[in-house]
Amino acid sequence: MLPTEIPEYRVHTKPSRVEHWRHLVEIVALVTAAAWAFYVFVYQERIKPAGELPSLQTSASVAHEPLQGGKELVTINVTLNNTGSNDISMAALLVNAHGVLYKGSTGEAQETRPANGITIVSHSLRGSDPELLYSRFSLWEPLGSTRRTLRLPKGEQLSFAEPFVIERGRYDTLRITYAYCYQRYDDEIVSAYKPKRTPDGAFEVRDLVAANATHAGLRCGGTSSYTGEYAL
């Protein structure tokens, strides 16, 4: 007697409308997540920064302390902060310091009309002609120097301390001028630059700032008069 054959049954399930939409939503979510990951990790981190210009913020401060023998140690601190999306190559940094002594009476009105359209009338004490106390110029590879490139990574900052000694009480204030040039670290364009000096021996700020036009990748900035006047 032949064994009884067991019949086969095949079950075909058809997804409901709710399941169909659920699968569709899951697919859309996966595609959206992939697109967002591409935007964040590829576009934001690689593609977008590749086309952005470098950005540098600068600030200066002065510290001073008395020394023996009627002398005073003055230190200028210049801070460079890379606020861009790319690493920076520093090309140049210029720092000048001038001492000023105030004398005379407050009865003499001084009126100045700067090129920016601001008129200032001052009855303060008249300052002496600024006297050069300190001037430094640092040059790196991007501007033709044999000195190795100074790299400043994105999001980081770098400080330069410029110390010098003066006679205590000889000056009332310290005037500072400084200028700088930088470019993207991956920019290989090199432009030769020779610093110029003013009649009193200080390095020329405006001439360095004008180096901004030597090629498109180089960015230079600075002060035409002074960035700050600090008590001594």
Side-chain angles (χ1 to χ4, degrees):
M1 185 175 182
L2 296 175
T4 303
E5 294 184 358
I6 300 176
E8 294 183 1
Y9 297 94
R10 297 184 178 181
V11 179
H12 297 276
T13 59
K14 183 177 181 180
S16 65
R17 183 179 296 272
V18 174
E19 292 177 328
H20 175 78
W21 282 106
R22 187 190 69 185
H23 294 326
L24 183 61
V25 169
E26 290 176 348
I27 293 172
V28 172
L30 289 174
V31 172
T32 302
W36 177 253
F38 174 84
Y39 175 79
V40 172
F41 296 106
V42 178
Y43 178 76
Q44 289 280 33
E45 297 295 329
R46 296 181 180 274
I47 299 178
K48 184 179 178 181
E52 289 186 346
L53 295 174
S55 179
L56 184 71
Q57 287 185 347
T58 64
S59 61
S61 62
V62 173
H64 51 95
E65 57 181 298
L67 300 175
Q68 294 181 353
K71 299 179 180 63
E72 188 167 4
L73 173 64
V74 181
T75 303
I76 302 173
N77 296 292
V78 178
T79 301
L80 312 174
N81 186 15
N82 185 351
T83 58
S85 301
N86 299 278
D87 290 358
I88 283 175
S89 288
M90 290 303 304
L93 178 64
L94 181 163
V95 180
N96 292 324
H98 290 80
V100 179
L101 177 65
Y102 285 86
K103 54 188 177 181
S105 65
T106 59
E108 299 177 0
Q110 305 170 53
E111 182 172 330
T112 58
R113 298 177 180 273
N116 57 12
I118 299 175
T119 300
I120 301 173
V121 178
S122 174
H123 289 272
S124 63
L125 295 176
R126 184 179 298 276
S128 63
D129 291 334
E131 184 176 343
L132 179 65
L133 303 178
Y134 181 88
S135 186
R136 172 177 172 173
F137 189 90
S138 297
L139 195 67
W140 290 278
E141 278 184 351
L143 279 177
S145 173
T146 57
R147 191 177 183 185
R148 293 185 60 186
T149 296
L150 178 61
R151 184 173 186 172
L152 181 56
K154 61 180 181 180
E156 296 188 11
Q157 66 179 27
L158 182 65
S159 294
F160 289 85
E162 311 290 342
F164 54 93
V165 176
I166 61 175
E167 294 180 11
R168 193 187 314 166
R170 181 172 178 178
Y171 304 99
D172 293 318
T173 62
L174 183 72
R175 290 185 181 180
I176 298 175
T177 57
Y178 67 89
Y180 50 86
C181 290
Y182 63 98
Q183 64 182 31
R184 284 174 49 135
Y185 186 76
D186 55 4
D187 189 346
E188 299 180 353
I189 299 177
V190 176
S191 300
Y193 177 80
K194 184 177 180 180
K196 295 182 179 180
R197 293 179 181 269
T198 59
D200 66 354
F203 288 106
E204 176 58 64
V205 170
R206 294 183 181 181
D207 187 70
L208 180 60
V209 174
N212 195 51
T214 55
H215 68 78
L218 189 67
R219 299 173 68 83
C220 300
T223 58
S224 58
S225 55
Y226 61 93
T227 60
E229 193 156 354
Y230 302 85
L232 291 174

